[in-house]
Amino acid sequence: MRLHLNILYFWIATLFTSVSCAKVITQEEFAFLSILLGSNSSSSADNATVIPVAVDRQIGIQISTSNLTVTYAAATVLAVKLAAKPTHNVTVSASFDTAKLTVNGSGSSPASLVFTENNFDTFQNFSLESVNNANDTSSFSLTTQSTDSPYNNLSKTLPVTLQVATAGILTSANTVSLEGGGIGSFGVKLSVLPASNVNLTVTFPGTKLAVDGVTSSHPGLNFTTANYSSLQTVNLRSLLNTTDTANISLIAFSTDSDYNSKSKTVTASIASQTRSLILSPDPVSLSMKTGEVQSFTIAPNVAPTSDVTVNFTYTQNQVNIKKSADVSYDSDGSFSITFPSGSAATQTIQVKAVSNLNITTGTINIATTVPASPNGDNSFNGLTASASYTIDTDNVPVALNGNIQNGIQTANSLTSNYTLTTTVDPSTSFVICNFRTAGSNILNASTCQINSSGTQVVVEKGGTSSNVTTNYYVMNFSSGISVQRGATTLSSSTGSATLSQTVNLNKAFIISYARTTSSGATDDNLKQVKATFTDATHLGFSCSGCTTTTTIEWQVVQWHSSSVISGNATIANGSTSITANLGSAVDLSKSFLVFNHSYAPNGGVGEEQNYFTSGTFSTTSQLSFQRGFTQGTIDIQYFVVSVPSGLTVKSNNFILSSSETNTCNTIPSAGVADYLKTMMFTSNRISAVSDSSALDSSSLTYIFRNSGCSAAGNTNLGIERYNNGDGSNHSASGTYFLLEFN
C-alpha cells in the first residue's frame, strides 16, 4: 500500500500566555485531520500518519483513504478513528448528496459515528454505495462535534468518484473467517440488470466445508431481472477443526453474454479452536451420604454452532441424575442434556446418592456428540469430562419403604412363586421365611429368596413328598439398608461365594436357608449349613457330609446405622447348651440375634432334638444357645445387631406343650404399634425325644394376630406346627425378636 502524506486540514488553537512573578505557563492546542491512504475496500488500518503539533497530546482524526471511488452495486468503506483519547465523546458526522449516495444503508444525511474514551482508537466504518449506475462525481464531508474543545468543529470534504458497474458477481466478502466446526456466511448478487436469468454454480471441497447444508451437489444460485440486486446468502460450516483454507467458486451460466462464464471466488479461512466443557467446581468431587443430593454445573467454553448432546453414564445403583429443573431423576445409568446452538448457558446437574453400600466411590463419565455431518459443530464432538463422587452410608438412618409385605402359603411343588403386592428393590430389601412341613422327609427343608426383579418370593424345596406352609415377610427400605443375595450349591462339605460389593463386617449379617435333594428322614445334617464371612468380600459355608445335594440361598444385609458383634459358638457332643460372651453390653431394646449353624451327628441322626437350636440373650452381654438333647456337635455363627435409632426390639420366649400344635403368645409391652411395620427373627428347639420323624412337629410358622389369635392384629403372635409328635408327643420352645419400626 502506497502511503501519501496529505495534510487535509489543521486548526491552530489560540495560544494563551500568562505571566506571573512566580511562573510563566504556555499552552498550545492544535487540531488536525490526518489520512491513512489505502484501498477503498479496507475496513482497518495497519499504519497511520499523524503530524504531531500539540505540546501535551495529539488531537486529530485518522481515515483509511482520501480517494473515494464508489462503483455501482458495490460498497466502498471509509474507516475512521481518533488519533488520541478524548476527554468527552466525539461525534463524527458525514454529510452527502442523497440523490447520489447512501451511507451505511441509509439515504438520510448526515450519518454519524460516536467515539468514546473506550473506543476512540478502534476503526468505525462509513459504507458508501452509489444510487445510480452512472459515471459521476460527488462529495463526502466530515465534521466533528464534541465538548472536548480540540475535537470540536474539525471538518473536511472528500471528493467521491462514482463509476458505472459492468456485469459481474458481487460478494459481501472476499474472505470469510470460520472457527473450526463453526459457521459463517456471505452474500451474493449481480452488479447490473441481466438481460436474462443467470445461474451461478457453487463448487467447494466437501471434505472441508458444508455449503447451505450440503457437502456435494449444491443446487446453485438463481438470479432474475427481479432479484438480481438482492443479496442471496450462502451459509458455510467448517467440517474441520484444523487451520486450513477452502475456496468457494461461483461461475455464471446465462444466455446473457455479458454474464456468461463470469466467476468469483470466496475463500473460507478456517482456524482450529480449543473446545472444552467447563465444570464447576473443578474438579467435580462430590461427597454425599445416602439420600443426599449435590450438584455441579456444566457449560461449553463458547457457544456451539449446532446443538450439542452431553451424555452422562454412571452406575445407577449408586447415583441417580437429573437437571435441576427436571421433576424426577433418571435412574437407568444414562442421561443427557443439550447445549442449544448459539448458547453457552450454564446448566446445573443434580446427583442423588442412592447406594446403600458402606462407602462407594464412582465416576460420572461425560461425553459430547453432535449431529452427523454436515449439520454438526465438529469442534464440540467427542469432548470428555468426568465427575467423581464418594457416598458414605455410615450411620445413615434406616427408613422402611411402605409396609412390610407378608403372606402365608401352602404348596407341594418344588418351586413356588408368591407374587408381591408391591414390587420392591432387591438391593434394599430382604425376606424372612418360616416353614412348617407336613412330613419329616428332609426333602421338605425349604429355602426362600426375593427374585431379581423384586416381584416375587421364590420358595424351593428338594422334593414333593409333602406340603410345606411358608410364612414370609418382605422388608423394603428407602435408606439405611443394602442387600446382596445369591445361591450356592455345595460340591463338598465346604463352599464359598464372592460378594459383588465389599461390606463393612461391623455392620453386616447373613440370613441363610438350605435345602437338599437327598431323600429320607435320617440325614438332617445335609440341610444344616453354617454361613459366615471369611472376609469383607467372601462368604464361607460348611456342612457336615454335604455334597452337590445341598443348596444355600443367602442374603447379606448391611445395616448402616447398626453395630454388629459376630462370633462362633459350639454346642459340643454331650452338651445341650453353650453361652457366648459378647465382650460388651448391648441395649436389649435395640438389639436382636441372627444365627445359623451346621450339625455334625454323632449317632442319633435325623433326630430333631439334637440340632434344632434356639438362641437368646441371657444377659446384656451374653448369649445362650440351647437344644433338646446331646448327640452331635452344633457349630454356630451368630450376629448380634444393635441399632441405635429407627426401631424398638421386643423379644419373648414361648413354649408349645406336648399337647399343642399352636399357641397364642402375648407380645410384651402391650404388643406392637403396627404389625405391618414389624418384622421378626425366630428360633426354636424341641424337647428330648428319640424320633427321626419329628420335622413336621419341630418346624414352626409365626404370624401377627389379635388377642385370641382369631384375626390379624398387633398384640399376639400365633405360632403353629403341623403335629405335636409322631408317636411320641413333645414340646417345642424358643425365642422371637420383633423389630418394630418407628
Side-chain angles (χ1 to χ4, degrees):
M1 179 176 62
R2 294 183 302 117
L3 185 65
H4 300 274
L5 179 63
N6 296 272
I7 302 177
L8 302 180
Y9 174 83
F10 68 87
W11 169 70
I12 301 176
T14 304
L15 175 66
F16 296 95
T17 304
S18 299
V19 180
S20 70
C21 61
K23 184 177 182 180
V24 176
I25 300 174
T26 301
Q27 180 177 359
E28 298 180 31
E29 293 181 305
F30 300 91
F32 64 89
L33 183 66
S34 64
I35 304 169
L36 177 68
L37 298 177
S39 68
N40 63 1
S41 62
S42 173
S43 61
S44 63
D46 297 323
N47 300 285
T49 298
V50 178
I51 300 176
V53 293
V55 174
D56 56 350
R57 63 174 182 159
Q58 300 181 70
I59 306 300
I61 301 173
Q62 295 176 350
I63 61 176
S64 59
T65 182
S66 61
N67 297 325
L68 292 175
T69 299
V70 181
T71 301
Y72 179 75
T76 294
V77 173
L78 177 69
V80 180
K81 71 176 182 179
L82 303 187
K85 186 176 181 179
T87 59
H88 295 85
N89 290 358
V90 177
T91 299
V92 178
S93 299
S95 300
F96 55 93
D97 185 347
T98 59
K100 295 183 178 182
L101 290 172
T102 62
V103 175
N104 291 346
S106 173
S108 297
S109 177
S112 298
L113 302 176
V114 176
F115 292 89
T116 68
E117 295 178 69
N118 295 324
N119 72 349
F120 74 95
D121 58 349
T122 300
F123 275 104
Q124 297 187 56
N125 295 334
F126 289 113
S127 179
L128 290 70
E129 292 187 70
S130 176
V131 173
N132 307 305
N133 189 18
N135 292 322
D136 202 348
T137 59
S138 187
S139 62
F140 191 73
S141 298
L142 298 174
T143 59
T144 65
Q145 299 84 39
S146 178
T147 55
D148 183 347
S149 58
Y151 269 115
N152 193 39
N153 291 327
L154 302 180
S155 66
K156 180 61 180 177
T157 298
L158 303 177
V160 178
T161 300
L162 303 177
Q163 291 185 163
V164 66
T166 58
I169 302 169
L170 301 179
T171 58
S172 60
N174 293 324
T175 300
V176 179
S177 296
L178 299 177
E179 292 185 342
I183 59 175
S185 65
F186 62 90
V188 182
K189 65 180 180 179
L190 302 184
S191 59
V192 295
L193 178 70
S196 58
N197 291 349
V198 178
N199 174 258
L200 300 185
T201 62
V202 181
T203 59
F204 54 93
T207 58
K208 297 181 179 181
L209 288 177
V211 177
D212 291 328
V214 299
T215 56
S216 62
S217 303
H218 190 281
L221 304 176
N222 294 299
F223 291 93
T224 68
T225 56
N227 72 349
Y228 78 97
S229 61
S230 299
L231 283 173
Q232 295 190 37
T233 301
V234 177
N235 297 297
L236 309 179
R237 178 184 291 280
S238 167
L239 302 182
L240 308 174
N241 190 25
T242 57
T243 299
D244 207 338
T245 58
N247 290 331
I248 304 97
S249 296
L250 308 171
I251 301 176
F253 291 88
S254 177
T255 57
D256 183 337
S257 59
D258 289 338
Y259 272 105
N260 192 47
S261 299
K262 293 287 185 179
S263 65
K264 183 69 181 288
T265 298
V266 175
T267 300
S269 177
I270 305 169
S272 64
Q273 298 297 318
T274 300
R275 303 304 190 200
S276 62
L277 298 174
I278 301 173
L279 277 62
S280 181
D282 184 18
V284 178
S285 181
L286 309 177
S287 180
M288 301 172 284
K289 288 185 176 295
T290 298
E292 285 186 345
V293 176
Q294 290 194 11
S295 62
F296 64 92
T297 63
I298 184 169
N301 66 326
V302 297
T305 61
S306 73
D307 287 356
V308 176
T309 300
V310 184
N311 301 294
F312 300 79
T313 56
Y314 55 94
T315 304
Q316 67 268 26
N317 62 1
Q318 296 180 3
V319 294
N320 292 167
I321 296 179
K322 73 178 184 70
K323 287 194 301 184
S324 59
D326 291 345
V327 175
S328 58
Y329 285 89
D330 189 288
S331 59
D332 63 359
S334 63
F335 172 71
S336 64
I337 61 173
T338 299
F339 294 139
S341 175
S343 173
T346 297
Q347 298 194 42
T348 299
I349 306 300
Q350 291 185 326
V351 181
K352 181 178 182 180
V354 298
S355 173
N356 278 300
L357 300 174
N358 179 40
I359 292 188
T360 297
T361 59
T363 301
I364 302 168
N365 293 307
I366 305 169
T368 61
T369 59
V370 299
S373 177
N375 299 312
D377 183 344
N378 286 337
S379 68
F380 275 95
N381 191 45
L383 302 182
T384 60
S386 64
S388 64
Y389 58 83
T390 299
I391 304 172
D392 184 359
T393 59
D394 195 25
N395 298 319
V396 175
V398 68
L400 190 65
N401 188 8
N403 290 331
I404 295 172
Q405 299 182 70
N406 67 81
I408 186 164
Q409 306 282 348
T410 300
N412 188 35
S413 56
L414 289 174
T415 302
S416 301
N417 299 314
Y418 302 131
T419 300
L420 298 174
T421 303
T422 303
T423 298
V424 300
D425 181 353
S427 69
T428 59
S429 303
F430 62 89
V431 59
I432 298 294
C433 292
N434 300 293
F435 311 98
R436 68 175 189 264
T437 66
S440 289
N441 194 321
I442 61 174
L443 292 171
N444 293 321
S446 302
T447 61
C448 73
Q449 186 68 278
I450 298 174
N451 68 352
S452 60
S453 60
T455 59
Q456 293 178 326
V457 174
V458 180
V459 176
E460 297 184 75
K461 58 193 185 82
T464 59
S465 63
S466 302
N467 286 337
V468 171
T469 298
T470 304
N471 184 208
Y472 60 83
Y473 294 82
V474 176
M475 282 65 63
N476 181 218
F477 299 88
S478 58
S479 68
I481 295 285
S482 64
V483 182
Q484 300 177 70
R485 55 176 39 80
T488 302
T489 298
L490 298 179
S491 59
S492 65
S493 59
T494 60
S496 63
T498 301
L499 302 177
S500 60
Q501 301 286 345
T502 302
V503 295
N504 184 339
L505 298 181
N506 295 317
K507 296 177 179 295
F509 58 91
I510 303 169
I511 302 170
S512 63
Y513 302 97
R515 65 180 184 269
T516 180
T517 56
S518 295
S519 181
T522 59
D523 292 331
D524 289 345
N525 53 292
L526 301 184
K527 60 184 180 64
Q528 304 298 317
V529 180
K530 177 184 174 183
T532 187
F533 292 107
T534 56
D535 58 39
T537 56
H538 294 89
L539 302 181
F541 306 103
S542 59
C543 173
S544 177
C546 285
T547 60
T548 55
T549 62
T550 300
T551 299
I552 307 100
E553 296 279 357
W554 50 266
Q555 300 169 96
V556 172
V557 180
Q558 181 164 304
W559 196 308
H560 303 307
S561 61
S562 73
S563 59
V564 175
I565 301 173
S566 62
N568 293 283
T570 301
I571 302 178
N573 183 50
S575 298
T576 60
S577 64
I578 187 69
T579 59
N581 294 316
L582 300 179
S584 60
V586 297
D587 182 351
L588 297 185
S589 68
K590 299 290 184 182
S591 303
F592 59 94
L593 171 65
V594 182
F595 70 95
N596 59 73
H597 61 80
S598 62
Y599 169 55
N602 183 20
V605 292
E607 295 176 3
E608 278 71 15
Q609 62 176 347
N610 292 314
Y611 66 84
F612 264 79
T613 304
S614 63
T616 189
F617 290 100
S618 54
T619 69
T620 58
S621 60
Q622 193 174 68
L623 300 175
S624 174
F625 297 98
Q626 295 182 335
R627 61 177 174 175
F629 200 56
T630 62
Q631 288 182 306
T633 302
I634 303 292
D635 191 7
I636 302 167
Q637 172 66 56
Y638 64 82
F639 304 92
V640 174
V641 185
S642 297
V643 182
S645 62
L647 59 79
T648 300
V649 177
K650 296 178 179 179
S651 65
N652 201 23
N653 298 319
F654 66 88
I655 187 168
L656 285 167
S657 70
S658 59
S659 62
E660 292 178 317
T661 58
N662 61 79
T663 187
C664 191
N665 190 269
T666 301
I667 298 172
S669 305
V672 295
D674 185 352
Y675 73 91
L676 293 177
K677 294 189 181 298
T678 305
M679 59 178 277
M680 65 179 70
F681 287 95
T682 66
S683 62
N684 69 279
R685 65 186 185 277
I686 63 170
S687 58
V689 54
S690 299
D691 190 346
S692 62
S693 59
L695 184 60
D696 51 0
S697 56
S698 305
S699 54
L700 311 177
T701 54
Y702 305 79
I703 189 168
F704 290 104
R705 311 298 285 176
N706 63 1
S707 179
C709 289
S710 60
N714 297 337
T715 60
N716 288 67
L717 202 63
I719 305 170
E720 189 172 352
R721 58 183 174 174
Y722 268 108
N723 297 303
N724 57 350
D726 288 344
S728 300
N729 293 349
H730 51 267
S731 63
S733 58
T735 300
Y736 58 78
F737 295 89
L738 304 182
L739 282 59
E740 181 181 9
F741 290 92
N742 299 336

